[in-house]
Amino acid sequence: MTNWISKFVKPKIKSLFKKRSASKDKAALWINCQCKSLIYKDELFNNLSVCPKCNFHHKLTSQERFSIFFDNKEYTILEAPIPRDNPLQFPNYEEKLKKAREKTKQPDALLIADGKLDGMRVIVGAQNFYHIGGAVGSASGEAFLHGVQHAINNKSPFIFFSASGGQKMQEGTIALVQMSRTVLAINEFKKHNLPYIVVMTNPTSGGASASFAGLGDVAIAEPGAIVAFAGARVIKDTIKEELPINFQKSEWVFNFGGIDLICERKNIRSKISTLLSILLKKKEEAISTPDVKSFEEDLQPARKKQII
Ligand SMILES: [Zn+2]
């Protein structure tokens, strides 16, 4: 039935929605950087998600990380065992997991992939902060152990890109025990004399920094990444003092010897390739590449023992 509502009111309402969705589409093309610049998403993506104006290293998903790290963007995601979703029946946790999976297209925040770096086979793990803040629970623990075992079986180096706020409170002790499980896995891995390199990305904190992310043979971090255990706000509220401006940024942690090397995203492939050549006792090849010099300049002269 045609009346004044369908003739005048409905089209007007529809046009309002159209306008809104058009502006939403436009907004989807741009991203707001911390430097308050509006950056075209394609431009940011082509620059490895690093702001061309302020050099801020934006967060990457696990698959974005893999595609910029492996040769020719070729890799295989390993299927790790998936434990029970909500072992403690924490309220609303299943719904949260479902939303995170839909949003990120990942079953868990931590993925492991097998591929090549400059022709060398490497196993790589990467956490996705967009999946419940990269929180570590039993699924991440299983994936990590699976990755370590796969690297041992194939006598390959293990590279890990950390991005996590800590352990999953919804899994309680089960999440906490992943700290010791992953530490034991790395201990086992090191018995095989294979290199384990960690790249700490923004942010690496809580249980992740206190376990597997803190055990790399070489600890690399991206510029400006937060590398911490407890958050700055918690510390400030506890000690009731102003904190340094750069507090817990990778450059600050580097100055105290907690990080060996700060490396821009565009150089990570070449730095790790050089490091692996050295660690795998292929020094002849490493010395012949110009990258060795810059790596040695950037590296801490001697890793300080000061505890931060
Ligand atoms: Zn910026």
Side-chain angles (χ1 to χ4, degrees), residues 32-37 39 50-56 58:
N32 246 326
C33 183
Q34 57 145 26
C35 66
K36 298 193 170 55
S37 302
I39 313 159
V50 175
C51 175
K53 294 185 178 153
C54 71
N55 202 37
F56 182 72
H58 287 261

Side-chain angles (χ1 to χ4, degrees), residues 60-89:
L60 296 177
T61 67
S62 304
Q63 304 224 31
E64 283 169 342
R65 180 65 71 176
F66 295 147
S67 67
I68 65 168
F69 185 74
F70 286 113
D71 292 353
N72 309 315
K73 303 181 179 180
E74 289 171 3
Y75 58 88
T76 309
I77 303 267
L78 302 186
E79 276 187 34
I82 300 174
R84 226 172 98 194
D85 268 351
N86 190 5
L88 303 182
Q89 297 177 357

Side-chain angles (χ1 to χ4, degrees), residues 106-223:
Q106 293 187 203
D108 182 67
L110 198 157
L111 290 186
I112 305 286
D114 183 333
K116 286 184 175 170
L117 171 67
D118 287 344
M120 192 186 321
R121 189 174 184 185
V122 286
I123 311 303
V124 179
Q127 287 174 297
N128 183 353
F129 194 79
Y130 297 114
H131 193 297
I132 318 183
V136 178
S138 51
S140 288
E142 286 300 324
F144 190 90
L145 264 61
H146 188 70
V148 169
Q149 189 59 55
H150 189 72
I152 292 172
N153 293 348
N154 292 288
K155 298 184 176 57
S156 303
F158 189 49
I159 319 291
F160 196 82
F161 291 87
S162 59
S164 172
Q167 309 305 104
K168 273 183 177 165
M169 65 167 187
Q170 297 92 338
E171 294 189 20
T173 317
I174 298 170
L176 286 179
V177 88
Q178 305 310 319
M179 291 172 68
S180 44
R181 285 183 85 210
T182 51
V183 168
L184 289 170
I186 291 303
N187 275 351
E188 190 58 37
F189 184 71
K190 289 186 178 180
K191 286 180 194 166
H192 294 261
N193 291 324
L194 291 164
Y196 171 53
I197 295 177
V198 176
V199 182
M200 290 179 253
T201 75
N202 188 40
T204 294
S205 59
S209 67
S211 60
F212 55 87
L215 291 172
D217 297 325
V218 180
I220 303 175
E222 287 190 333

